[in-house]
Amino acid sequence: MEHSPGVLVWFSLLLGLGMLIHGAHAQNSPQDFLAAHNAARAEVGVGPMAWDDTVAAYAQNYANQRIGDCNLVPSDKYGQNIFKAGGQDYTAVDAVKAWVSEKSDYDYNTNTCANGKMCLNYTQVVWRNSVRLGCARVKCNSGEIFITCNYDPAGNVVGERPY
């Protein structure tokens, strides 16, 4: 399976755009990350993912490396979605909602994103073969929230549909 450069890692940078609905009671536990992902997967008939401690440890280590700069630099292992935002205490649910909001820009029939739009965060969330999930959330020195989710095996394989 061949992966095109940059396809495995896409990220959302949503700073004060009002694109997220902040869940006041939402948490950031593995179950919160899983529930948000699995709800989106169920909508398109894809089976649930399971939390994987090895993938989660990788995500946490990567997130810890970003605390100082909060830069959206892709990691080099697993599939990945990255989220960074400031202004409020964003949660796991907020990040997954941002990625899933790209669904409207994905055309299943052509297996492409709308012209000029990003949808590969969404397709990674619902990628049928990605069955192990690990995520992490940190507050950067800048005060921004940085969230990463890693997927094993990686999705967004060139020439394949997510579901």
Side-chain angles (χ1 to χ4, degrees), residues 44-133:
V44 294
V46 175
M49 283 194 277
W51 189 260
D52 185 282
D53 289 336
T54 301
V55 179
Y58 180 86
Q60 187 65 61
N61 181 56
Y62 174 78
N64 290 343
Q65 294 174 36
R66 301 276 60 94
I67 289 173
D69 60 23
C70 217
N71 288 338
L72 295 171
V73 178
S75 67
D76 60 359
K77 190 172 181 181
Y78 304 114
Q80 182 181 43
N81 282 340
I82 308 172
F83 172 93
K84 175 177 97 170
Q88 61 184 342
D89 197 22
Y90 291 99
T91 67
V93 173
D94 294 322
V96 179
K97 280 184 181 180
W99 300 327
V100 172
S101 74
E102 297 174 1
K103 180 179 183 177
S104 62
D105 295 321
Y106 175 66
D107 183 338
Y108 182 84
N109 292 325
T110 62
N111 195 31
T112 60
C113 301
N115 192 25
K117 300 289 185 173
M118 192 169 15
C119 67
L120 296 179
N121 293 299
Y122 167 69
T123 55
Q124 176 58 84
V125 168
V126 298
W127 198 265
R128 71 183 171 281
N129 293 332
S130 294
V131 294
R132 289 174 293 283
L133 178 68

Side-chain angles (χ1 to χ4, degrees), residues 23-28 32 91-94:
H25 300 293
Q27 300 295 314
N28 299 294
D32 294 313
T91 67
V93 173
D94 294 322

